[in-house]
Amino acid sequence: LLVHSESNAKGTASSFEPTQAVAVLKRARSTPRSRQRRVKSGASRQESKPSGLLMQEEERDSGEVPSKVYSDYIKSAKAPILSTVVLLLYVFVQAFRQGSDWWLSVWTSAQITPDPGLRFYLSIYAAFAVTTGLLVLCRGMLFANLSLRIATNLQVKTVMSVLRAPLSFFDTTPVGRILNRFGRDQDSVDQSLPLNLGSVVQSLLQIISTIIFISVITPLFLVVAVPLGIVYQFVVKYFLKSSREIKRFESVSRSPVYAHFSETLAGLSTVRAYSLQSKFIAELSQRVDTNLRAFFAGMAVNRWLSVRIEFMSAIAIAATALFGVLSRSSSDQQSSLVGLSLSWILQITVLLSFAVRMTAETELLMNSVQRLM
């Protein structure tokens, strides 16, 4: 057989004459350029494929959360009428709260003549309080139903995506990343995000109604409110950019902690057999330290925000008091309204700080929704 194969090889080599080589070159030259480009592009794609580790690193998003994520989050409830009713209930609750405070100012100023008596004022105030309580109860029940619908639909969608994923997904995705999705991210959608979202809507409505009420009583307040609003918007944008990236880094750095811990438990016998306990403890400590760096940076950013918010709130309180004195009137009604505006503006520090933090926290929690989708 060896002799036969050698004779065939020699015959093939001897039969390949220079004229055949020239013919092969001509055929190569006559090949269409589009085909050559396809071959080259295919080769370049093969060369450009990353040849790294099997496990892929988790990508970290940057920039603002797209508005489509918010709309998809609301649409995942599949109940547009329920969402609209909940939003209207938030508006009505705030309107009745402001109305009850306004009625107290009317009561103290004794504007209605002749005096209808204590029972009349007290009954109207009780009607405001009872109506507000009923609206809050209805809003809480409907909002809980809406949040439950959204969380359930997102969890079902995530579970079905994992169950229908190919085997290559589990080969290239660490277990800790999957646990982070079904653990931390799903918990944020179930508990933290609905509460924060409701707090954002409520605090924004309180701030808007307070500014409108004070502007109606003392129009000069707008002279200070407009510049403070511009500065406030700049501070909030700067804070959100920093806080957003810090929170994302904290979320991404949490998955390696889960992955390392779960993999160590799975191979605990091997770790003990090779006496590598100290090495694995040091690796886990290093990953936890990396995660805590982002946590402490987030705390520092929150303190930075608090200083600036309190400074702007102090200016707003001083302006309200000053303009209330400048626009004083002899009527008891105007005095009671100025006192009511001062009582509301004293809460603006807490409201502004709370609104910014809840807005930032809500946007950061929406990253969990973005990852689950």
Side-chain angles (χ1 to χ4, degrees), residues 115-151:
D115 189 8
L118 178 63
R119 182 174 297 180
F120 173 77
Y121 289 108
L122 193 59
S123 60
I124 298 297
Y125 185 77
F128 272 109
V130 172
T131 306
T132 304
L134 292 176
L135 290 176
V136 170
L137 178 61
C138 295
R139 184 191 67 182
M141 295 175 61
L142 294 179
F143 185 74
N145 188 10
L146 180 66
S147 303
L148 182 61
R149 284 171 175 263
I150 295 174

Short mmCIF file of all heavy atoms in Angstrom, two decimals, residues 115-151:
data_model
loop_
_atom_site.label_atom_id
_atom_site.label_comp_id
_atom_site.label_asym_id
_atom_site.label_seq_id
_atom_site.Cartn_x
_atom_site.Cartn_y
_atom_site.Cartn_z
N ASP A 115 -71.13 84.32 61.98
CA ASP A 115 -70.39 83.15 62.41
C ASP A 115 -71.30 81.93 62.45
O ASP A 115 -72.30 81.91 63.20
CB ASP A 115 -69.79 83.41 63.79
CG ASP A 115 -68.83 82.30 64.21
OD1 ASP A 115 -68.53 81.43 63.37
OD2 ASP A 115 -68.39 82.31 65.38
N PRO A 116 -71.01 80.87 61.64
CA PRO A 116 -71.88 79.69 61.63
C PRO A 116 -71.71 78.78 62.84
O PRO A 116 -72.49 77.84 63.02
CB PRO A 116 -71.48 78.97 60.34
CG PRO A 116 -70.08 79.38 60.11
CD PRO A 116 -69.93 80.77 60.66
N GLY A 117 -70.71 79.00 63.62
CA GLY A 117 -70.53 78.19 64.81
C GLY A 117 -69.45 77.14 64.64
O GLY A 117 -68.98 76.83 63.53
N LEU A 118 -69.05 76.58 65.76
CA LEU A 118 -67.97 75.60 65.77
C LEU A 118 -68.34 74.32 65.04
O LEU A 118 -67.50 73.72 64.36
CB LEU A 118 -67.59 75.28 67.23
CG LEU A 118 -66.50 74.23 67.44
CD1 LEU A 118 -65.18 74.69 66.83
CD2 LEU A 118 -66.34 73.94 68.94
N ARG A 119 -69.60 73.89 65.17
CA ARG A 119 -70.00 72.64 64.55
C ARG A 119 -69.87 72.69 63.04
O ARG A 119 -69.49 71.70 62.41
CB ARG A 119 -71.44 72.31 64.95
CG ARG A 119 -71.96 71.00 64.40
CD ARG A 119 -73.32 70.67 64.95
NE ARG A 119 -73.27 70.50 66.41
CZ ARG A 119 -74.34 70.22 67.15
NH1 ARG A 119 -75.54 70.11 66.58
NH2 ARG A 119 -74.21 70.08 68.46
N PHE A 120 -70.16 73.83 62.44
CA PHE A 120 -70.07 73.95 60.99
C PHE A 120 -68.61 73.78 60.51
O PHE A 120 -68.34 73.00 59.60
CB PHE A 120 -70.62 75.31 60.55
CG PHE A 120 -70.42 75.61 59.10
CD1 PHE A 120 -71.22 75.02 58.13
CD2 PHE A 120 -69.41 76.49 58.69
CE1 PHE A 120 -71.03 75.31 56.78
CE2 PHE A 120 -69.22 76.78 57.35
CZ PHE A 120 -70.03 76.19 56.39
N TYR A 121 -67.70 74.53 61.14
CA TYR A 121 -66.30 74.42 60.74
C TYR A 121 -65.75 73.01 60.99
O TYR A 121 -65.01 72.46 60.16
CB TYR A 121 -65.46 75.44 61.51
CG TYR A 121 -65.69 76.87 61.10
CD1 TYR A 121 -66.38 77.75 61.93
CD2 TYR A 121 -65.22 77.35 59.88
CE1 TYR A 121 -66.59 79.07 61.56
CE2 TYR A 121 -65.43 78.67 59.51
CZ TYR A 121 -66.11 79.51 60.35
OH TYR A 121 -66.32 80.83 59.97
N LEU A 122 -66.12 72.46 62.12
CA LEU A 122 -65.61 71.14 62.47
C LEU A 122 -66.16 70.07 61.53
O LEU A 122 -65.44 69.13 61.17
CB LEU A 122 -65.98 70.82 63.92
CG LEU A 122 -65.27 69.61 64.54
CD1 LEU A 122 -63.76 69.81 64.52
CD2 LEU A 122 -65.77 69.38 65.97
N SER A 123 -67.41 70.18 61.14
CA SER A 123 -67.99 69.18 60.23
C SER A 123 -67.34 69.23 58.85
O SER A 123 -67.07 68.20 58.24
CB SER A 123 -69.50 69.40 60.11
OG SER A 123 -69.79 70.70 59.61
N ILE A 124 -67.05 70.45 58.35
CA ILE A 124 -66.38 70.57 57.05
C ILE A 124 -64.97 69.98 57.12
O ILE A 124 -64.53 69.25 56.21
CB ILE A 124 -66.34 72.04 56.59
CG1 ILE A 124 -67.76 72.58 56.39
CG2 ILE A 124 -65.55 72.17 55.29
CD1 ILE A 124 -68.54 71.88 55.31
N TYR A 125 -64.26 70.28 58.21
CA TYR A 125 -62.91 69.75 58.36
C TYR A 125 -62.94 68.23 58.48
O TYR A 125 -62.08 67.53 57.94
CB TYR A 125 -62.26 70.38 59.58
CG TYR A 125 -60.80 69.98 59.75
CD1 TYR A 125 -59.81 70.55 58.96
CD2 TYR A 125 -60.43 69.02 60.70
CE1 TYR A 125 -58.48 70.17 59.10
CE2 TYR A 125 -59.12 68.65 60.85
CZ TYR A 125 -58.14 69.22 60.05
OH TYR A 125 -56.83 68.85 60.19
N ALA A 126 -63.93 67.69 59.20
CA ALA A 126 -64.06 66.24 59.32
C ALA A 126 -64.37 65.61 57.96
O ALA A 126 -63.89 64.51 57.65
CB ALA A 126 -65.14 65.90 60.34
N ALA A 127 -65.18 66.31 57.14
CA ALA A 127 -65.49 65.79 55.80
C ALA A 127 -64.23 65.72 54.95
O ALA A 127 -64.00 64.74 54.21
CB ALA A 127 -66.54 66.67 55.14
N PHE A 128 -63.38 66.75 55.04
CA PHE A 128 -62.09 66.72 54.32
C PHE A 128 -61.24 65.53 54.79
O PHE A 128 -60.66 64.82 53.98
CB PHE A 128 -61.33 68.03 54.54
CG PHE A 128 -61.66 69.10 53.54
CD1 PHE A 128 -62.39 70.22 53.93
CD2 PHE A 128 -61.25 69.00 52.22
CE1 PHE A 128 -62.69 71.21 53.02
CE2 PHE A 128 -61.56 69.99 51.31
CZ PHE A 128 -62.29 71.10 51.70
N ALA A 129 -61.18 65.33 56.12
CA ALA A 129 -60.33 64.28 56.67
C ALA A 129 -60.84 62.90 56.28
O ALA A 129 -60.05 62.02 55.87
CB ALA A 129 -60.26 64.40 58.19
N VAL A 130 -62.15 62.68 56.37
CA VAL A 130 -62.71 61.37 56.03
C VAL A 130 -62.55 61.08 54.54
O VAL A 130 -62.18 59.97 54.13
CB VAL A 130 -64.19 61.30 56.45
CG1 VAL A 130 -64.84 60.02 55.92
CG2 VAL A 130 -64.31 61.36 57.97
N THR A 131 -62.80 62.08 53.72
CA THR A 131 -62.64 61.88 52.27
C THR A 131 -61.19 61.57 51.90
O THR A 131 -60.92 60.69 51.08
CB THR A 131 -63.12 63.13 51.52
OG1 THR A 131 -64.45 63.45 51.92
CG2 THR A 131 -63.08 62.90 50.02
N THR A 132 -60.27 62.29 52.54
CA THR A 132 -58.85 62.03 52.28
C THR A 132 -58.47 60.61 52.71
O THR A 132 -57.74 59.90 52.00
CB THR A 132 -57.97 63.05 53.02
OG1 THR A 132 -58.35 64.36 52.64
CG2 THR A 132 -56.50 62.82 52.70
N GLY A 133 -58.97 60.18 53.86
CA GLY A 133 -58.67 58.82 54.31
C GLY A 133 -59.22 57.76 53.38
O GLY A 133 -58.53 56.77 53.09
N LEU A 134 -60.45 57.95 52.89
CA LEU A 134 -61.02 56.98 51.95
C LEU A 134 -60.24 56.95 50.64
O LEU A 134 -60.01 55.88 50.05
CB LEU A 134 -62.49 57.32 51.70
CG LEU A 134 -63.45 57.13 52.89
CD1 LEU A 134 -64.85 57.59 52.52
CD2 LEU A 134 -63.46 55.66 53.33
N LEU A 135 -59.86 58.12 50.16
CA LEU A 135 -59.07 58.17 48.92
C LEU A 135 -57.71 57.50 49.10
O LEU A 135 -57.24 56.80 48.20
CB LEU A 135 -58.90 59.63 48.48
CG LEU A 135 -60.15 60.33 47.95
CD1 LEU A 135 -59.85 61.79 47.65
CD2 LEU A 135 -60.68 59.63 46.71
N VAL A 136 -57.08 57.71 50.25
CA VAL A 136 -55.80 57.06 50.51
C VAL A 136 -55.96 55.54 50.56
O VAL A 136 -55.12 54.79 50.04
CB VAL A 136 -55.19 57.59 51.82
CG1 VAL A 136 -53.97 56.75 52.23
CG2 VAL A 136 -54.77 59.04 51.66
N LEU A 137 -57.05 55.08 51.16
CA LEU A 137 -57.30 53.64 51.23
C LEU A 137 -57.50 53.05 49.84
O LEU A 137 -56.90 52.01 49.50
CB LEU A 137 -58.52 53.37 52.10
CG LEU A 137 -58.95 51.90 52.25
CD1 LEU A 137 -57.84 51.08 52.90
CD2 LEU A 137 -60.25 51.80 53.04
N CYS A 138 -58.33 53.70 49.04
CA CYS A 138 -58.55 53.21 47.66
C CYS A 138 -57.27 53.26 46.84
O CYS A 138 -56.97 52.34 46.08
CB CYS A 138 -59.65 54.04 47.00
SG CYS A 138 -61.27 53.87 47.75
N ARG A 139 -56.51 54.35 47.01
CA ARG A 139 -55.24 54.46 46.27
C ARG A 139 -54.27 53.37 46.66
O ARG A 139 -53.62 52.77 45.81
CB ARG A 139 -54.63 55.83 46.54
CG ARG A 139 -53.36 56.12 45.77
CD ARG A 139 -52.67 57.36 46.30
NE ARG A 139 -52.16 57.15 47.65
CZ ARG A 139 -51.55 58.10 48.37
NH1 ARG A 139 -51.40 59.30 47.87
NH2 ARG A 139 -51.11 57.82 49.58
N GLY A 140 -54.17 53.07 47.96
CA GLY A 140 -53.25 52.02 48.39
C GLY A 140 -53.64 50.66 47.86
O GLY A 140 -52.77 49.89 47.42
N MET A 141 -54.93 50.33 47.87
CA MET A 141 -55.38 49.03 47.39
C MET A 141 -55.14 48.89 45.89
O MET A 141 -54.63 47.86 45.42
CB MET A 141 -56.85 48.84 47.72
CG MET A 141 -57.15 48.77 49.21
SD MET A 141 -58.92 48.68 49.58
CE MET A 141 -59.35 47.13 48.76
N LEU A 142 -55.50 49.91 45.13
CA LEU A 142 -55.32 49.84 43.68
C LEU A 142 -53.84 49.87 43.29
O LEU A 142 -53.43 49.18 42.35
CB LEU A 142 -56.06 51.00 43.01
CG LEU A 142 -57.58 50.97 43.13
CD1 LEU A 142 -58.20 52.19 42.46
CD2 LEU A 142 -58.16 49.69 42.53
N PHE A 143 -53.05 50.65 44.02
CA PHE A 143 -51.62 50.70 43.71
C PHE A 143 -50.94 49.38 44.03
O PHE A 143 -50.05 48.94 43.31
CB PHE A 143 -50.97 51.84 44.49
CG PHE A 143 -49.52 52.06 44.15
CD1 PHE A 143 -49.17 52.66 42.95
CD2 PHE A 143 -48.52 51.66 45.01
CE1 PHE A 143 -47.84 52.87 42.62
CE2 PHE A 143 -47.19 51.85 44.69
CZ PHE A 143 -46.84 52.46 43.50
N ALA A 144 -51.37 48.72 45.12
CA ALA A 144 -50.82 47.40 45.44
C ALA A 144 -51.19 46.38 44.38
O ALA A 144 -50.36 45.54 43.98
CB ALA A 144 -51.32 46.95 46.81
N ASN A 145 -52.42 46.46 43.90
CA ASN A 145 -52.83 45.55 42.82
C ASN A 145 -52.03 45.80 41.55
O ASN A 145 -51.61 44.85 40.86
CB ASN A 145 -54.32 45.74 42.56
CG ASN A 145 -54.88 44.71 41.59
OD1 ASN A 145 -54.22 43.74 41.23
ND2 ASN A 145 -56.12 44.91 41.17
N LEU A 146 -51.82 47.08 41.23
CA LEU A 146 -51.04 47.42 40.04
C LEU A 146 -49.60 46.94 40.16
O LEU A 146 -49.04 46.36 39.22
CB LEU A 146 -51.08 48.93 39.82
CG LEU A 146 -50.34 49.48 38.61
CD1 LEU A 146 -50.98 49.00 37.32
CD2 LEU A 146 -50.29 51.00 38.65
N SER A 147 -48.99 47.14 41.33
CA SER A 147 -47.60 46.71 41.54
C SER A 147 -47.48 45.19 41.47
O SER A 147 -46.51 44.65 40.93
CB SER A 147 -47.09 47.22 42.88
OG SER A 147 -47.19 48.62 42.97
N LEU A 148 -48.46 44.49 42.01
CA LEU A 148 -48.44 43.03 41.98
C LEU A 148 -48.55 42.51 40.55
O LEU A 148 -47.87 41.54 40.17
CB LEU A 148 -49.58 42.47 42.83
CG LEU A 148 -49.68 40.95 42.95
CD1 LEU A 148 -48.41 40.39 43.58
CD2 LEU A 148 -50.91 40.55 43.76
N ARG A 149 -49.38 43.14 39.75
CA ARG A 149 -49.50 42.75 38.35
C ARG A 149 -48.17 42.91 37.61
O ARG A 149 -47.73 42.02 36.87
CB ARG A 149 -50.57 43.60 37.65
CG ARG A 149 -52.00 43.23 37.97
CD ARG A 149 -52.95 44.27 37.39
NE ARG A 149 -54.33 43.92 37.57
CZ ARG A 149 -55.08 43.33 36.65
NH1 ARG A 149 -54.58 43.03 35.47
NH2 ARG A 149 -56.34 43.04 36.89
N ILE A 150 -47.54 44.06 37.83
CA ILE A 150 -46.28 44.33 37.13
C ILE A 150 -45.20 43.34 37.55
O ILE A 150 -44.49 42.77 36.72
CB ILE A 150 -45.84 45.77 37.40
CG1 ILE A 150 -46.84 46.76 36.79
CG2 ILE A 150 -44.44 46.03 36.83
CD1 ILE A 150 -46.55 48.21 37.13
N ALA A 151 -45.05 43.13 38.88
CA ALA A 151 -44.01 42.22 39.37
C ALA A 151 -44.24 40.80 38.89
O ALA A 151 -43.29 40.08 38.51
CB ALA A 151 -43.96 42.27 40.89
#
